[in-house]
Amino acid sequence: MAANIYESPDGKLRLVLTAGDDGDVMLGFEGYPWHTHANLLVPSYGPTKDDALKRFVQDIIESRAVIALYRRGGEIIGIEITLDPAEDLRYLAEGETVEHRFWNGSSPP
């Protein structure tokens, strides 16, 4: 199984792309459960799995995709890409908070 790892400029996030022997490509943040598969990104991000994956990763590392960091008691319990930051607030469990950021560490408007 081959893997590519991208680390955010501030060193706080590690994005991992893993290609299985069966050709399935999975993308997620190291140490956290959220992930997606290349085939799920078609056609929203591109017409083929390779095109869609490339654009999705570029959107993340070029700070066009909003990243949600979920915390409980100050500890990060989940990291994921979010399509609707306002909606994330509706599903917080008691004691949880969410921080929205871009790959480069800046905050979305």
Side-chain angles (χ1 to χ4, degrees):
M1 206 179 278
N4 290 330
I5 300 173
Y6 301 86
E7 187 169 322
S8 64
D10 61 6
K12 293 183 179 181
L13 305 173
R14 289 174 56 96
L15 184 67
V16 180
L17 275 79
T18 306
D21 295 333
D22 62 356
D24 183 35
V25 179
M26 188 172 70
L27 170 82
F29 291 96
E30 185 177 69
Y32 300 96
W34 178 89
H35 67 278
T36 191
H37 296 263
N39 64 314
L40 299 176
L41 301 172
V42 176
S44 297
Y45 290 88
T48 68
K49 290 190 290 187
D50 287 341
D51 291 339
L53 186 62
K54 182 178 178 180
R55 179 171 165 221
F56 191 66
V57 170
Q58 284 178 328
D59 281 358
I60 295 169
I61 64 174
E62 292 178 8
S63 297
R64 292 188 297 262
V66 177
I67 302 166
L69 284 77
Y70 293 91
R71 289 188 171 88
R72 185 178 303 122
E75 180 181 338
I76 296 175
I77 58 170
I79 302 174
E80 62 187 58
I81 301 301
T82 183
L83 299 176
D84 187 351
E87 189 73 8
D88 296 343
L89 300 173
R90 293 184 60 201
Y91 299 104
L92 292 176
E94 187 174 328
E96 287 183 358
T97 61
V98 63
E99 170 195 349
H100 294 110
R101 63 168 280 172
F102 290 115
W103 186 253
N104 65 11
S106 66
S107 298

